[in-house]
Amino acid sequence: HAAGTSMSTFSALVSPPRAVGCGVRITASARRKVSGKRATVRTSASDDASGSSASVRIFSGSSKEMLFGAQQNMLGLLESPSTDDDAITASIAELSTLNPTAAPAKDAKLVGKWRLAWSQQQESSNFFQKLFADIASDNFQIINEDNTLENLVLLGPLTVSAKAPIAAVSETRTEVRISTVDVSIAGNTVWSKTLTPKPGKGAGWVEQLYLDDEMRISRGNKGSLFIHTREGGGGNKRQKPNQGTTGQSATALVKL
């Protein structure tokens, strides 16, 4: 994130680092239970070279079904035994056009504990991202009602926490200024730092591309992409996909 030390730390703690340009799927399962009309299985396909089976479900008719299909497509990709970054980024583009939340940066659904499910970093990935590499499967972002945020990485007994005040500066953009970073081992703080903005360096920001009750997609100000799923549920019940404009269709790849 191109907004100086504070946002670099934010970028590092939002997600574990990886090779430049490659997406990483976090191993925790992202699938959620869904309600509503089930589509007919029209065909089947191999998910990867190992022969894992997948089915292509066709959702047609309403705009709600379009969204439902796109959501299922993304969740299927996140759960696939092999990561297809191109398909995930295409699914991000599709979901961004179907975002059911008009002003995601200002919406109450943004509040909660979010688990990182996948991310893709740009070349500007910093030292912290390289340090964490791909080892942190417990990687969370906690957004609170008092307009504060905590990025929390758990690596066995090691805990890294970065806290920041946040502000919605537009309907889709959240400004972030990391203020403190703490490192602890077995609950004992071993390193702590308070960050102050440097002259000429502003806050970082995150563009909220997509938000529903259980999934959030965002892009940082350096172009890195993040997919989070809500930890422990708690979102509002999503509408069944049987309302809205008719005459459209979408496909969803779902593991059998």
Side-chain angles (χ1 to χ4, degrees), residues 18 24 37 52 101 117 129 137 167 183 196 205 218 228 236 246:
R18 67 283 305 154
V24 168
K37 182 167 62 178
S52 297
T101 307
Q129 290 167 315
S137 60
V183 178
T196 55
W205 50 260
S218 58
H228 288 84
N236 297 323
T246 60

Side-chain angles (χ1 to χ4, degrees), residues 99-112 114 143-145 147 166 168 170-174 208 210-213 216 230 236:
N99 190 359
T101 307
K106 298 180 178 181
D107 198 280
K109 289 194 294 290
L110 200 62
V111 172
W114 298 89
I143 301 175
N144 303 306
E145 292 182 350
N147 293 321
I166 60 174
S170 75
E171 292 187 340
T172 60
R173 183 167 294 184
T174 304
Q208 310 294 346
Y210 177 88
L211 176 67
D212 65 23
D213 292 323
R216 177 166 62 93
R230 191 180 298 277
N236 297 323

Side-chain angles (χ1 to χ4, degrees), residues 15 63 156 178 190-192 210 215-216 226 228 249:
S15 134
S63 57
I178 296 293
V190 295
W191 185 84
S192 183
Y210 177 88
M215 180 164 55
R216 177 166 62 93
F226 309 94
H228 288 84
S249 65

